Amino acid sequence: ATDVATLYLTTLPQSFVKLNVKVQLQGALLGSGDGLMRDDLRSRDFIPAAEPYTAISSFTHVGEGGAETVANPVTVFADHGDNSIVDWVFVELRSAADPAEVVATRSGLLQKDGDVVDTDGVSELCFTQSEPGDYYVAVRHRNHIGTMTASALTLTADGTVVDFIDTNTELWNNQANYDGVEQVTIDGQYALWAGNTSSDDRIVFAGQANDKDPIFNEIDTAPGNIFKIQTYILPGYHPGDVNLDGDSIFAGQNNDVDPIFNNVDGFPANLFKIQTFIIFEQLAE
């Protein structure tokens, strides 16, 4: 007689989610001649191989997030045209039941065309410890203010597009007068507001805890600025580099203070052009 064995296969759920996040940084769009973000930080070899957010107190890693590192910087930070890397960004998954609760984070790499990719520079961002399900998605940057989806999205292991560039995307806002201006609109597309040099939750031009002072302090204390010249140019990877060109400049041509003033002065809710007006980050609290 022939023995017959019956094999039962159980398909286990895939315990990870992939995201195709799209976002732009206003700073990297300033002075762009082709509608794509500039990649000056990459071309000048300033982007660190390790994510910068662990060192910033206002960014808290959750779950697997933290210590993301580019294994092969020479390849990843090479010139890949529209897919060249602009900078690191910080992506959060938030609870569908409580949008203020961050349940997972990952640092990813932002390409010139707006795609956020994993540390290999090409793959979709993968949250390997997060079950497929419904999440709010937020994206933040070290000297811009962040944004998040207005509702929870269903995320899967196959990949979900979260397009923060499309102005039709509904965004979270804490105040009614921020509806439609949670991000800045440039040439019909959304971008994160630039000028948050303090890496907190707001952009402030004048007054207490303003974002001009960190730029001044960077320049004033720069080792090479022996004579404390306000027009001194400090190259490198610094929060005071608002326009992400690789130079922190407090005063003079192409300085990093003017974009902060222009954002505050031109913010739609700042009807009376008050210099102490505050642009608040629109994330659930």
Side-chain angles (χ1 to χ4, degrees):
T2 302
D3 292 332
V4 177
T6 301
L7 178 65
Y8 294 94
L9 297 177
T10 301
T11 302
L12 298 175
Q14 293 174 296
S15 58
F16 65 89
V17 297
K18 288 185 177 180
L19 291 182
N20 181 2
V21 176
K22 300 177 182 294
V23 70
Q24 295 187 120
L25 303 175
Q26 181 193 21
L29 287 168
L30 296 173
S32 170
D34 58 6
L36 298 174
M37 286 176 285
R38 294 176 291 97
D39 60 341
D40 298 333
L41 293 176
R42 179 205 64 80
S43 66
R44 298 181 67 180
D45 199 26
F46 288 151
I47 303 177
E51 55 84 19
Y53 295 103
T54 296
I56 304 174
S57 61
S58 56
F59 289 83
T60 302
H61 289 289
V62 178
E64 68 185 286
E68 291 88 347
T69 304
V70 174
N72 191 344
V74 173
T75 300
V76 173
F77 294 145
D79 186 353
H80 298 292
D82 294 357
N83 293 324
S84 296
I85 303 303
V86 174
D87 199 2
W88 290 92
V89 293
F90 189 84
V91 180
E92 299 174 338
L93 303 186
R94 294 178 173 229
S95 167
D98 179 5
E101 180 188 358
V102 179
V103 296
T105 65
R106 282 297 308 276
S107 297
L109 296 168
L110 176 64
Q111 298 178 339
K112 288 181 66 175
D113 61 4
D115 292 329
V116 177
V117 294
D118 222 312
T119 55
D120 63 358
V122 293
S123 301
E124 289 181 321
L125 198 63
C126 186
F127 286 76
T128 62
Q129 298 176 13
S130 298
E131 296 280 352
D134 293 345
Y135 301 90
Y136 289 83
V137 179
V139 61
R140 302 168 62 198
H141 182 262
R142 58 195 176 88
N143 66 6
H144 290 56
I145 53 174
T147 192
M148 67 180 284
T149 58
S151 57
L153 306 178
T154 300
L155 307 186
T156 70
D158 295 325
T160 304
V161 175
V162 185
D163 192 347
F164 289 108
I165 297 176
D166 188 347
T167 55
N168 292 314
T169 299
E170 290 294 327
L171 302 175
W172 180 275
N173 60 75
N174 297 313
Q175 295 97 3
N177 63 347
Y178 274 79
D179 189 16
V181 293
E182 302 93 344
Q183 296 189 76
V184 61
T185 300
I186 301 174
D187 295 331
Q189 296 183 325
Y190 274 146
L192 300 186
W193 289 100
N196 180 23
T197 66
S198 301
S199 297
D200 52 17
D201 63 349
R202 61 196 64 189
I203 296 172
V204 185
F205 176 72
Q208 190 172 11
N210 70 71
D211 289 293
K212 298 197 308 287
D213 286 351
I215 306 173
F216 174 82
N217 292 334
E218 282 182 3
I219 300 305
D220 190 62
T221 60
N225 190 9
I226 299 171
F227 300 105
K228 308 291 185 181
I229 300 170
Q230 292 192 10
T231 54
Y232 183 86
I233 298 174
L234 175 65
Y237 191 78
H238 303 290
D241 177 20
V242 174
N243 62 9
L244 303 179
D245 65 354
D247 292 320
S248 289
I249 306 175
F250 178 73
Q253 190 173 10
N254 205 35
N255 69 73
D256 291 289
V257 174
D258 286 349
I260 304 173
F261 172 82
N262 292 336
N263 279 346
V264 171
D265 186 68
F267 193 78
N270 188 9
L271 301 177
F272 299 104
K273 308 291 185 181
I274 300 170
Q275 291 192 9
T276 54
F277 184 88
I278 299 172
I279 304 176
F280 288 102
E281 186 173 59
Q282 298 300 292
L283 299 178
E285 301 171 346

